[in-house]
Every structure is written in C-alpha cells, then in structure tokens.
Amino acid sequence: MKRRSFIEKATLGTIGIGAVLSCKKNTETNENGITSNTSTSEIKPLIISTWNHGLPANEETWKQLKQGNTTLDAIEAGMKIPEADPKVRSVGYGGYPDKEGKVTLDACIMDHESNCGSVSFLQGIKHPISIAKRVLQNTPHVMLSGQGALQFALSQGFTEENLLTQEAEKDWKKWLRKSKYQPVINMENHDTISMLVIDKDGNLSGGCTTSGAAWKMHGRVGDSPIIGAGLFLDNEVGAAAATGLGEAVIRTAGSAMVVELMRQGKSPYDACREIVERIYNKHKNHRDMKHLQVGFIAVNKKGEHAGYSLRSGFNYAVYDEEIGNRMEDAPFKMSWKK
Ligand code: SD4
C-alpha cells in the first residue's frame, strides 16, 4: 500500500466515524416570553463486528435491538448466524477442527455492568454464544470449560450434534496428509466474530465466538473466551475485541489494554494501533511472526470507532442509524509480503 493511501486510511480510522452522543439544542419559550436554550444528548446505537460475516450478524442484532429485545439477546441472535453457517470455517458449525479432527469452540459475552459469561473448549454444541450467555445469567461463574461446559449446556436444554461438516473434514484430511502441526491464522482462516454494541441507552456490551485456530492441538484455547484478551469493555470508557492469533493477544492482554489506553484519552484508532505495535514488538523475533495476524476493533463512549491490524486484509462491519450496515477496511501496519 502506498504511503499516501495508508495515511488517508489511517486518518479515516482516527476519525472513527459516527458519534453516539450528539448534542441537540432545544429552544423553549415560556408563558412570560422568556426563551431558554437547553442541550440534550442524543444516543445513537452502533454495532461493529469483525470480518464480512459481521454484516448478517449486525443485521440481526440491529433488528433485535429495534424490536426492544435485551442487548445480550440481540448479540446472541446476531452471533448465532455465523455460528450456524457451514461456509464460515472459523466459527461454530462447519468450523475447522483441531489436529485430531474435533471441532472445539470458544465464546464469551459481556454486558455494561461487567457481567461476563464464557465457554471454552466446548464440543458438540452449535451455539457456544448461547451457552456463554447462560453462564452469565444462570451461574455464579464467569467461565465453564470442556466437559463441564457441555454438561451445563445439556442441563440448559441444548442438544449435542456433530459440527464437523463434510467440507471441513475433507480439508482436515488434506492437511493430515502433510501432518505438520502449524497453527494457521492467515487470509483463509481469520473468521472469529467479535461484536461490540452501543445500545439505545448508550450502554456497551460485546461478544466473541470462534472455532479458533485450524488444526490446533486438542485442548487449545485461544483469546476469544478470555475476558481481557479477546473481549473487554468498561462501560465508563469503551469496548474492544480481537481477532487473529489468540496466543499473541493473550500474551499482551490485548483488548483490556486497548480499553485502558482509551481510558487515558486515546482515540479508539490510536489505542488499537498502539497495542498492535506492542504485539509486533514483542513478536518480531518470535516463531509466530511468520504467520502472525492480529486485529482489534474498538469503540468509545462517544461512539467513535476504529479497527487496526498488524497485517493487511482486516475489515469490520459497522451498523449505525445514518448509513446502515457496511464494511470498513481497517488500516494496518504492514502487508503480508513483508
Ligand atoms: C483464536 N482469535 O482462537 C482466535 C482465532 C481468530 O481470526 O480470531 N481468528 O486464536
């Protein structure tokens, strides 16, 4: 990418697009003819989600919010769409399996009061986001894992099913022929969905759901179900979420750090960029560097939003009242060739 267009993109990212709280001036005249001006804040809902499958997810979440459903229900409904789509190879049903051919899923959800629910290493349940939501609502805990998460899902009325589609199995068998373990996060495998929402009351919530890195070791858990890594929000400040190689995001407490930088006054763009730079600096001599991709999305309380990634190709879906649902390309540090 030429320097000039990069700067243009970077500037766009800085601006963030679309304020949630805009001031509306009201002029009122009382019975004595005295005119007064008052300002009221208008809250504008906003949804941002990683990658192209963020579009249908945003669409559903927006619809649910408009229907007056709770924000958590709306996030769950939106994220269930890529989870159920067999063509999305990094989320839910149809997601690529681990090196043993097992589809294992991670998800989390968080609300404006810092209530969190999370599941990791969950197998056989098509909608891990729904189980994460129930962990939040129906247990005293934040995270359930593996067999315990499955037991809980069954106790909540969910049913076990085979999530390995024929297509995903075919690709796994092809990979097995080479049989060389290498976690792959690249242009073909980058589909974790992370969603951040500002609702009609100006409150922040978010969620993540993924089948994680393809061909990972059995039992591997990524950043997506870890509050502070794959997702973090503080309703007084802002929200952030990650995509990419979870190990790198966990090592740097990525999403929590993005939120903390926003607390210190950084814009969502500057906060995302600083943490990507930090991840780069910590990994430039690391074995993961060759395949390393990480990206963040962030939104602050004013409704400014941004995305930023280490390498090219990251985009995110944005839904607001003014423009509707669309994709925005995230600025990045470097291209894949480097
Ligand atoms: C993980 N962060 O499990 C996830 C994978 C991902 O885009 O985001 N891919 O490491």
Side-chain angles (χ1 to χ4, degrees), residues 189-202:
N189 173 28
H190 56 39
D191 291 339
T192 288
I193 178 159
S194 303
M195 177 186 279
L196 305 175
V197 174
I198 301 186
D199 66 20
K200 66 175 175 31
D201 302 315

Side-chain angles (χ1 to χ4, degrees), residues 50-51 53 90-91 104 106 184-186 189-194 208-214 216 220-225 230 242-250 293-295 314:
T50 53
W51 305 112
H53 52 234
S90 271
V91 182
T104 75
D106 298 334
V184 189
I185 301 282
N186 58 27
N189 173 28
H190 56 39
D191 291 339
T192 288
I193 178 159
S194 303
C208 281
T209 180
T210 188
S211 54
K216 61 196 174 186
R220 179 265 189 189
V221 171
D223 60 317
S224 303
T243 182
L245 186 67
E247 282 76 0
V249 177
I250 295 170
Q293 171 66 313
V294 288
F314 176 42

Side-chain angles (χ1 to χ4, degrees), residues 102-159:
K102 308 257 172 38
V103 179
T104 75
L105 306 173
D106 298 334
C108 75
I109 196 161
M110 185 167 185
D111 74 11
H112 67 288
E113 291 176 319
S114 295
N115 298 306
C116 321
S118 161
V119 287
S120 63
F121 191 47
L122 175 63
Q123 294 177 68
I125 299 289
K126 199 177 202 164
H127 292 298
I129 193 69
S130 302
I131 316 306
K133 193 187 84 172
R134 279 157 183 83
V135 171
L136 183 159
Q137 291 175 330
N138 301 342
T139 80
H141 305 304
V142 164
M143 181 185 268
L144 293 177
S145 191
Q147 197 58 28
L150 175 61
Q151 265 172 31
F152 172 69
L154 299 177
S155 77
Q156 295 285 304
F158 291 81
T159 47

